[in-house]
Amino acid sequence: MTEDMRSSEPQTGPALSVVGPGEGETIVLGTTRMRVLEDGSHTGHRLAIAESVLAPHTQGPPQHRHGRHDEGFYVLSGTVRFTVGKEDHDAPAGTLVVVPPGIPHTFANPTDEPAVMLSTFTPDLYVQYFRDLQEALDGGRPLTPRANLDAMSRYATEPADDPA
């Protein structure tokens, strides 16, 4: 076999992933419902994607910083309030927010309507955090600050006690 023939052969690697409407893993965290569309298993763990529905008047997580991954948020419907340090940014549908490692941030839905956003995690590190939170909430147990901090720390994330 010549070198030219070898280079034209199909490459093996991750398989194509197609997630249809209503498919994907569902994670429920209080008034937020997340649908994991890609958990990183089809991207070599470079990228994860989730759709989140925030009920009206949903408070987000405590303000925090990620040490090893970028997080992107594309607002599909409604308005999501992003707090970065001490600044609030109201993001209506069609807005993209990208948070690099080290930037303190949180989000919430302060409105009377549900909000839907598509989130990306590069690399996929943070998807397991949401699974861990759901497990901590199983059986109606409240999420304690300690349990949340313990889960965050497993995924290179820390609270932003001193938002800049």
Side-chain angles (χ1 to χ4, degrees), residues 75 119 126:
V75 181
S119 300
Y126 216 52

Side-chain angles (χ1 to χ4, degrees), residues 6-160:
R6 274 194 297 269
S7 65
S8 66
E9 291 178 3
Q11 300 296 312
T12 59
L16 173 72
S17 172
V18 177
V19 180
E23 296 177 345
E25 174 186 2
T26 299
I27 297 174
V28 178
L29 302 170
T31 58
T32 299
R33 183 176 38 85
M34 174 182 279
R35 183 168 66 114
V36 178
L37 303 170
E38 171 57 53
D39 67 359
S41 61
H42 296 94
T43 66
H45 301 285
R46 294 179 308 275
L47 170 69
I49 303 171
E51 173 191 69
S52 296
V53 179
L54 307 175
H57 306 286
T58 293
Q59 293 300 311
Q63 195 159 171
H64 57 281
R65 292 180 175 91
H66 303 295
R68 296 188 354 219
H69 74 272
D70 295 277
E71 197 168 23
F73 304 91
Y74 183 73
V75 181
L76 296 168
S77 66
T79 298
V80 178
R81 176 168 294 154
F82 290 89
T83 302
V84 180
K86 295 180 181 176
E87 281 187 48
D88 288 333
H89 303 271
D90 285 345
T95 302
L96 174 67
V97 176
V98 177
V99 182
I103 302 296
H105 66 285
T106 188
F107 57 86
N109 177 5
T111 75
D112 293 331
E113 300 296 324
V116 181
M117 61 184 178
L118 193 66
S119 300
T120 60
F121 312 95
T122 56
D124 69 339
L125 180 67
Y126 216 52
V127 171
Q128 189 59 45
Y129 164 77
F130 298 112
R131 292 173 175 149
D132 288 359
L133 286 187
Q134 180 175 253
E135 185 178 313
L137 292 166
D138 277 351
R141 294 177 294 196
L143 181 64
T144 66
R146 177 82 261 154
N148 193 14
L149 290 175
D150 287 347
M152 280 183 173
S153 70
R154 288 192 294 273
Y155 304 101
T157 300
E158 62 186 20

